[in-house]
Amino acid sequence: AQKVTQAQTEISVVEKEDVTLDCVYETRDTTYYLFWYKQPPSGELVFLIRRNSFDEQNEISGRYSWNFQKSTSSFNFTITASQVVDSAVYFCALSETTQGGSEKLVFGKGTKLTVNP
Amino acid sequence: DVKVTQSSRYLVKRTGEKVFLECVQDMDHENMFWYRQDPGLGLRLIYFSYDVKMKEKGDIPEGYSVSREKKERFSLILESASTNQTSMYLCASSLPGPDTQYFGPGTRLTVL
């Protein structure tokens, strides 16, 4: 079965530091999608990025960047010059095709990031 | 903007009660999902639905059932609530396929 591992349970940094959140996945599918979500203290999961397995280009969006490496089955997320508002739980997720042909997501356990002023 | 709403932010019920959690989305999405989130366990899929009246079990369906009579509404039912069902419940919706799921604000359920 598909599996997503976020080995870092909690990370604490000081504002303006760069921080990388790790995500390693296991899949039997040849085509799949990877996602990152942010869950701020308010509780609602916010979508950040979706990547398909054929696109290994790194993505940058403002202070956020993602590094997808198929060779190591990793999809890491870096926040540059972190800010207090980045404090949240971040989830990595992987698509999975069920036996019935439907699609669902498998989530990692999340990494809690605390950015201190 | 996609909007997914859940009927309550906080809910307190007693053991043995029948509990309904409602989720409504306004983006005409085919897929809808129910998760529970517990500390240290991340998000675990309870049930999902890929069409009206269609449902599929997720990873932890025991003790739960679902209903989808209309495309925009997906209900999670706890037939006889137990204390180990105290949790945060999250609803999501998406287009068909491995598309982005959009989440509601969550319902924090406490079963006493």
Side-chain angles (χ1 to χ4, degrees):
Chain A
Q2 326 290 68
K3 186 178 176 183
V4 175
T5 301
Q6 294 180 255
Q8 305 147 310
T9 308
E10 292 193 42
I11 300 175
S12 183
V13 299
V14 177
E15 211 170 13
K16 296 186 184 173
E17 280 186 41
D18 298 347
V19 57
T20 295
L21 310 182
D22 297 333
C23 174
V24 173
Y25 63 92
E26 295 174 30
T27 180
R28 61 176 179 269
D29 294 339
T30 52
T31 302
Y32 52 90
Y33 290 78
L34 293 158
F35 301 77
W36 275 95
Y37 284 84
K38 174 183 179 180
Q39 187 179 41
S42 59
E44 189 165 337
L45 267 81
V46 176
F47 164 73
L48 295 178
I49 190 170
R50 171 178 178 254
R51 220 63 210 281
N52 76 52
S53 52
F54 293 110
D55 183 1
E56 287 193 69
Q57 278 196 341
N58 289 338
E59 174 109 5
I60 298 174
S61 175
R63 295 183 297 105
Y64 294 172
S65 62
W66 290 269
N67 181 269
F68 176 29
Q69 293 204 338
K70 229 169 169 177
S71 59
T72 56
S73 297
S74 65
F75 187 44
N76 296 338
F77 172 33
T78 298
I79 302 175
T80 302
S82 59
Q83 300 176 0
V84 173
V85 293
D86 296 327
S87 296
V89 181
Y90 291 86
F91 291 96
C92 180
L94 168 69
S95 65
E96 176 179 337
T97 305
T98 70
Q99 287 188 338
S102 306
E103 298 281 349
K104 63 176 189 176
L105 295 186
V106 175
F107 284 82
K109 290 185 166 49
T111 297
K112 183 179 180 181
L113 173 65
T114 303
V115 182
N116 298 298
Chain B
D1 262 1
V2 176
K3 195 164 175 77
V4 179
T5 57
Q6 295 182 229
S7 48
S8 308
R9 288 303 302 269
Y10 299 93
L11 206 52
V12 180
K13 296 292 181 181
R14 298 225 172 261
T15 303
E17 278 192 75
K18 190 168 186 175
V19 181
F20 292 87
L21 302 183
E22 305 285 340
C23 176
V24 177
Q25 51 94 4
D26 67 357
M27 284 304 292
D28 205 34
H29 284 168
E30 281 78 5
N31 294 347
M32 294 188 76
F33 307 83
W34 274 107
Y35 296 88
R36 65 177 282 177
Q37 182 180 9
D38 300 288
L41 298 178
L43 274 73
R44 293 180 293 167
L45 182 63
I46 304 171
Y47 265 100
F48 63 104
S49 168
Y50 45 90
D51 201 350
V52 174
K53 296 192 191 288
M54 307 300 286
K55 62 185 179 186
E56 195 165 326
K57 290 181 181 178
D59 301 312
I60 51 163
E62 297 78 20
Y64 303 95
S65 62
V66 290
S67 171
R68 192 159 180 211
E69 297 296 319
K70 292 185 178 181
K71 192 175 185 180
E72 67 271 16
R73 188 179 297 270
F74 191 35
S75 303
L76 180 69
I77 303 155
L78 287 66
E79 295 289 343
S80 178
S82 64
T83 54
N84 63 12
Q85 292 179 310
T86 291
S87 186
M88 169 71 91
Y89 290 88
L90 294 164
C91 175
S93 72
S94 78
L95 291 169
D99 208 64
T100 301
Q101 291 184 20
Y102 295 92
F103 283 80
T107 295
R108 188 167 291 283
L109 172 68
T110 302
V111 183
L112 301 175

